[in-house]
Amino acid sequence: MGFPESVLTKDEQVVLHLHPHWKALFLPVVWFVLAAAAVVVLAIFTGWGMIPMLIVGGVALILVIVVTVWPWIKWRTTHYVFTNERVIMRSGVFSRSGRDIPMGRINDVSFSHSLFERMLGCGTLTIESAGERGQVQLTDLPQVEKTQSVLYELVDADRQKHTFGDDDRDALVREIKNDAEPAN
């Protein structure tokens, strides 16, 4: 399931769209390989008949669905979307939950990662926002350092867009002068 573009505003543009790091799928893949190997070994080295093998295969299939397919579906339906206006987080398979943080509300963006996470290229991004909910931590985020830099640039661009600077003041003065001049 892709991220629904319909939740974006008219002028909103997606800058980054991420899922949790692939390391979240490592153990499910290991379980899949182990379950498949166990079924093959039992089929080859035991003298069991067809019915016991079908039962073992059915149990292995159920285990594979629970420990491999379900984590993949959860991974696939978790979205971290960074736009020019907000950070959007959505997760859930049957029931969904989400949170949006407008760029203007973000006070601080930091990251951390262990040595192992650095080798894998992931980490935890912490977004501190104004409001009662405070901090949000996005764990197992791929390219966490790059994402932190991009988010910082987006927050800075949003602040520049909403700041009244010298150029804005000069343009306003010119407009007032033009409006005050009598028409010929």
Side-chain angles (χ1 to χ4, degrees):
M1 170 187 290
F3 180 76
E5 300 289 327
S6 63
V7 301
L8 301 177
T9 62
K10 182 177 69 169
D11 297 328
E12 196 169 13
Q13 299 165 353
V14 173
V15 177
L16 282 175
H17 178 192
L18 303 170
H19 294 282
H21 192 266
W22 59 263
K23 81 175 190 173
L25 300 176
F26 180 75
L27 280 178
V29 169
V30 168
W31 282 111
F32 175 77
V33 170
L34 289 175
V39 169
V40 169
V41 165
L42 285 174
I44 293 173
F45 294 112
T46 64
W48 293 355
M50 183 60 81
I51 301 291
M53 283 312 301
L54 286 175
I55 292 172
V56 168
V59 169
L61 180 64
I62 291 170
L63 284 174
V64 163
I65 289 171
V66 170
V67 298
T68 63
V69 175
W70 184 250
W72 178 79
I73 292 171
K74 283 176 39 179
W75 174 84
R76 189 76 180 111
T77 58
T78 300
H79 300 273
Y80 304 128
V81 180
F82 300 84
T83 73
N84 58 328
E85 295 182 10
R86 59 190 165 151
V87 177
I88 303 169
M89 295 155 283
R90 299 285 187 271
S91 63
V93 179
F94 297 117
S95 62
R96 305 270 299 150
S97 64
R99 182 167 179 196
D100 297 357
I101 303 174
M103 288 297 162
R105 289 256 172 141
I106 295 175
N107 295 332
D108 185 45
V109 180
S110 60
F111 72 90
S112 64
H113 48 191
S114 66
L115 177 62
F116 181 67
E117 288 173 328
R118 279 186 76 182
M119 291 188 299
L120 292 177
C122 66
T124 299
L125 185 73
T126 303
I127 303 171
E128 190 172 312
S129 66
E132 63 185 55
R133 295 180 99 188
Q135 284 187 352
V136 171
Q137 288 192 332
L138 308 179
T139 57
D140 294 334
L141 195 69
Q143 304 171 355
V144 69
E145 289 185 55
K146 178 185 173 216
T147 303
Q148 188 251 0
S149 296
V150 168
L151 185 54
Y152 178 80
E153 290 172 5
L154 290 169
V155 169
D156 190 48
D158 185 70
R159 285 203 172 98
Q160 293 298 324
K161 186 169 63 172
H162 293 98
T163 301
F164 189 81
D166 292 340
D167 294 339
D168 298 318
R169 184 193 68 226
D170 295 341
L172 186 59
V173 167
R174 280 192 303 275
E175 186 177 324
I176 291 171
K177 281 183 181 179
N178 289 341
D179 289 345
E181 292 178 0
N184 293 331

